[in-house]
């Protein structure tokens, strides 16, 4: 019986309901594909249902920020994606406000400008190679969850199909069918309407890599894809039409010229679109065995280019947790931390992108003059510019930690240099994370008088949690981590840290984060 043919015919009260997958991901955009790849790489049976019949090379998103590149680096994809686009080390927002990304504490101190289709291509290849099953032309029409799993019905060109899994993740965008079927509200409001979007060629190339402009007529944005095509976005305050109104290139060229101050001569548009942008967020990212990620859980204006990036961070956060629960290593309550950690991040992104778009919407000359003064002042205060750059890039995200926890707990861990045992051993933390497991970082040489020598730590860890933990040592055993043991989550955040812990403390931390040791793994 194939995945496509299998159906669930037993109720939750039956002993063994049929499962076509452990997890079904609805939506084959970047968020869904990264999640599916993580799950499949962890040995989880995952199926992706996508209503589109074929891949699309036309897309709205194009900015890949530093934290997302770090996550892709942890999956071995960053360098290949970087080769498809243009790295930009400075973002000019409005007037004189410029964000210097070159000083970000990251291996990727820039924003990458590349079509979303390139990101999707790499994530799709990885997911399928890892064993994920992608079923196109599957439009979800029904959802029923019970104590044992979730049953989805879908319309296909061949008729109806039924799929059942232990968990379902809705990564199906702003108009999420999964969200609607499970009955989760999506409160919010429209921020800006009749935004014009196109991929075009230009008669005159801009002097800067990214071109931003705003006037009393509206605002505009121009960015290169690196292959002769440009993404052109513009909004005309005086011409507000519904989303389905036809878009003419002449209309877009006119408003772009007025707000950018230069006629770049856009021509040969391969894609024209008109859309509106909302600010919305669901109150909860989980309803029983159904979870939401990406635009299905939150949406906001395109200002700052944070939309796709936030969704990919959702997927990175959720993937290892779902895998741990499905594999029986952790209790289902671990999934509650997805809401606790990612909902505040989504809320913060709504605030930051909302502030940026409202700056661009300024209409009167007095308001725009005040904006110029405010951005000039902000741009002259280095701490403010640094904070803004880290916020937009995603590297400032920190998750809640328990009271009394080590200062590193919940923080993003930078790409530490690691000591290498051999030529094939990872030389960086994010190379070690490519195993999809936790990484325990302990110095080879412990501080004088430490209670647990390295050999004892290795023996205490390797056997009980084999297959769930990678051990690494910092390249500099006398550096900042000299007497600190650091446990890094698969998504690159510090789960736990302690200075010179006892074996009992270490074991307690591993049990809390990785679940019971192999011989004690609970059923789920």
């Amino acid at each position: 019986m194939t995945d496509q043919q299998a159906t669930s015919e037993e109720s939750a009260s039956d002993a063994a309901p049929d499962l076509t997958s452990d997890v079904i991901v609805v939506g084959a955009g970047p968020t869904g594909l990264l999640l599916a790849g993580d799950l499949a790489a962890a040995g989880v049976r995952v199926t992706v249902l996508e209503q589109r019949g074929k891949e699309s090379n036309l897309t709205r998103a194009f900015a890949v920020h530093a934290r997302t590149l770090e996550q892709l680096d942890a999956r071995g994809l960053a360098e290949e994606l970087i080769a498809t686009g243009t790295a930009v080390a400075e973002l000019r927002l409005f007037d004189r406000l410029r964000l210097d990304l070159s000083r970000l504490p990251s291996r990727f101190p820039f924003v990458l400008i590349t079509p979303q289709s390139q990101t999707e291509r790499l994530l799709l290849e990885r997911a399928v190679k890892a064993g994920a099953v992608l079923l196109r032309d599957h439009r979800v029409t029904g959802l029923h969850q019970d104590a044992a799993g979730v049953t989805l019905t879908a319309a296909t060109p061949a008729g109806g199909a039924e799929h059942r899994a232990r968990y379902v993740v809705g990564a199906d965008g702003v108009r999420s069918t999964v969200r609607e079927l499970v009955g989760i509200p999506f409160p919010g409001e429209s921020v800006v309407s009749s935004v014009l979007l196109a991929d075009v060629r230009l008669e005159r190339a801009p002097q800067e890599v990214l071109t931003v402009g705003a006037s009393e007529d509206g605002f505009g944005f121009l960015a290169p894809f690196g292959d002769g095509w440009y993404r052109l976005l513009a909004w005309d305050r005086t011409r507000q039409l519904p989303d389905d109104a036809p878009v003419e290139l002449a209309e877009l060229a006119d408003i772009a010229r007025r707000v950018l101050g230069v006629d770049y001569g856009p021509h040969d548009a391969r894609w024209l679109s008109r859309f509106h942008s909302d600010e919305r967020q669901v109150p909860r990212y989980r309803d029983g065995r159904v979870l939401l990620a990406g635009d299905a859980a939150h949406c906001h204006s395109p200002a700052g280019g944070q939309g796709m990036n936030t969704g990919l961070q959702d997927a990175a956060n959720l993937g290892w947790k779902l895998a741990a629960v499905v594999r029986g290593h952790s209790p289902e309550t671990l999934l509650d931390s997805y809401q606790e950690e990612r909902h505040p991040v989504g809320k913060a992104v709504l605030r930051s992108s909302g502030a940026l778009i409202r700056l661009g919407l300024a209409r009167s000359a007095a308001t725009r003059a005040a904006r110029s003064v405010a951005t000039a002042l902000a741009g002259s205060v280095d701490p403010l510019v640094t904070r803004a750059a880290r916020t937009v890039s995603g590297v400032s995200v920190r998750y809640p930690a328990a009271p009394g926890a080590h200062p590193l707990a919940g923080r993003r861990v930078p790409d530490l240099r690691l000591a290498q045992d051999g030529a094939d051993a990872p030389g960086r933390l994010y190379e070690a994370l490519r195993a999809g497991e936790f990484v325990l970082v302990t110095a080879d040489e412990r501080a004088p008088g430490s209670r647990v020598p390295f050999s004892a730590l290795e023996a205490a860890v390797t056997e009980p949690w084999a297959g769930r933990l990678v051990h690494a040592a910092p390249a500099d055993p006398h550096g900042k981590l000299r007497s600190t043991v650091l446990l890094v989550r698969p998504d690159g955040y510090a789960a736990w840290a302690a200075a010179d812990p006892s074996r009992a403390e270490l074991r307690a931390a591993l049990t809390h984060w990785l679940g019971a040791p192999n011989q004690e793994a609970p059923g789920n």
Side-chain angles (χ1 to χ4, degrees):
M1 181 180 293
T2 67
D3 283 351
Q4 201 162 2
Q5 293 168 336
T7 60
S8 174
E9 298 177 354
E10 297 178 301
S11 68
S13 62
D14 292 320
D18 293 336
L19 295 173
T20 59
S21 304
D22 294 315
V23 178
I24 294 175
V25 177
V26 181
T31 299
L33 291 174
L34 188 143
L35 177 60
D38 285 1
L39 292 170
V44 174
R45 294 180 303 159
V46 58
T47 298
V48 182
L49 303 183
E50 169 56 51
Q51 68 176 358
R52 294 176 297 176
K54 60 181 180 179
E55 295 181 52
S56 172
N57 62 352
L58 301 178
T59 176
R60 293 179 181 175
F62 60 91
V64 185
H65 283 294
R67 184 55 183 154
T68 301
L69 288 169
E70 291 177 345
Q71 293 289 2
L72 295 175
D73 186 28
R75 292 155 178 82
L77 302 176
E79 296 301 331
E80 187 174 354
L81 184 64
I82 290 171
T84 69
T86 302
V88 177
E90 183 181 73
L91 278 179
R92 182 168 72 88
L93 299 177
F94 297 105
D95 302 309
R96 286 171 283 180
L97 180 58
R98 294 174 179 265
L99 300 185
D100 181 7
L101 304 179
S102 66
R103 294 183 294 171
L104 288 174
S106 171
R107 189 164 179 261
F108 308 101
F110 52 81
V111 58
L112 177 68
I113 305 302
T114 190
Q116 179 180 317
S117 57
Q118 294 287 1
T119 305
E120 288 187 6
R121 176 182 61 82
L122 293 179
L123 292 174
L124 174 59
E125 291 174 357
R126 171 178 177 261
V128 172
K129 183 178 181 180
V133 175
L134 173 61
L135 300 178
R136 294 193 178 275
D137 282 319
H138 273 60
R139 179 175 57 84
V140 172
T141 57
L143 181 153
H144 172 73
Q145 64 171 313
D146 51 48
V150 186
T151 301
L152 293 177
T153 55
T156 74
E162 189 173 82
H163 302 272
R164 184 170 172 84
R166 295 174 64 181
Y167 296 94
V168 165
V169 180
D172 49 341
V174 174
R175 298 179 178 85
S176 171
T177 299
V178 173
R179 184 186 65 235
E180 294 179 1
L181 290 173
V182 83
I184 297 180
F186 201 33
E189 61 182 4
S190 179
V191 181
V192 59
S193 60
S194 199
V195 180
L196 303 177
L197 203 62
D199 288 350
V200 298
R201 292 192 180 277
L202 302 178
E203 293 180 357
R204 181 189 305 176
Q207 292 184 346
E208 298 189 36
V209 177
L210 293 179
T211 304
V212 181
S215 71
E216 62 180 358
D217 292 335
F219 61 80
F221 180 85
L222 187 62
F225 284 130
D227 60 355
W229 290 93
Y230 287 78
R231 167 59 48 83
L232 178 59
L233 179 150
W235 177 70
D236 188 345
R237 187 190 309 277
T238 66
R239 186 172 171 79
Q240 296 294 290
L241 300 175
D243 290 354
D244 58 359
V247 180
E248 298 293 337
L249 181 57
E251 174 189 5
L252 180 56
D254 176 64
I255 182 59
R257 176 186 54 78
R258 284 185 280 137
V259 298
L260 297 178
V262 177
D263 183 1
Y264 292 105
H267 61 92
D268 293 334
R270 63 180 178 184
W271 180 45
L272 290 162
S273 176
R274 188 190 308 270
F275 72 99
H276 71 278
S277 181
D278 292 350
E279 285 181 352
R280 299 183 183 275
Q281 185 180 29
V282 296
R284 61 187 189 278
Y285 284 17
R286 180 188 177 197
D287 186 292
R289 291 179 173 271
V290 179
L291 302 104
L292 300 176
D295 288 350
H298 46 74
C299 65
H300 48 81
S301 81
Q306 300 173 81
M308 180 183 71
N309 293 271
T310 307
L312 289 171
Q313 302 302 322
D314 288 346
N317 182 285
L318 179 59
W320 67 268
K321 297 174 181 178
L322 262 179
V325 172
V326 169
R327 293 162 68 183
H329 298 321
S330 299
E332 195 178 79
T333 52
L334 176 63
L335 299 179
D336 293 335
S337 66
Y338 173 59
Q339 162 80 17
E340 296 165 0
E341 293 181 344
R342 293 305 299 172
H343 191 278
V345 174
K347 186 175 182 179
V349 171
L350 260 68
R351 286 199 302 266
S352 62
S353 65
L356 288 175
I357 196 66
R358 285 170 177 80
L359 281 175
L361 293 175
R363 181 172 188 174
S364 69
T367 303
R368 285 186 282 110
R371 180 187 67 195
S372 296
V373 172
T375 54
L377 289 174
S380 65
V381 181
D382 191 68
L384 292 179
V385 176
T386 298
R387 180 179 179 182
R390 294 188 178 194
T391 296
V392 170
S393 67
V395 302
S396 66
V397 170
R398 180 180 182 180
Y399 295 138
H406 191 281
L408 291 177
R411 289 184 179 274
R412 160 189 161 272
V413 182
D415 194 16
L416 304 172
R417 289 193 308 111
L418 302 178
Q420 292 181 275
D421 295 333
D424 296 330
R428 302 184 288 110
L429 174 62
Y430 282 75
E431 290 178 340
L433 286 170
R434 292 174 187 176
E437 309 293 351
F438 281 76
V439 177
L440 184 67
V441 182
T442 61
D444 282 357
E445 299 181 22
R446 308 300 306 285
S450 66
R451 292 178 289 179
V452 188
F454 169 73
S455 58
L457 275 177
E458 186 177 39
V461 169
T462 303
E463 293 301 325
W465 285 276
R468 286 184 268 167
L469 186 66
V470 175
H471 186 274
D476 181 5
H478 302 289
K480 293 182 179 180
L481 295 178
R482 182 183 182 190
S483 61
T484 299
V485 176
L486 174 64
L487 183 63
V488 184
R489 302 176 356 172
D491 59 357
Y493 290 85
W496 171 85
D500 191 22
S502 67
R503 288 187 62 170
E505 291 169 333
L506 176 61
R507 183 180 177 86
L510 295 177
T511 301
H512 175 78
W513 284 99
L514 280 75
N518 291 335
Q519 63 270 27
E520 304 172 14
N524 188 57

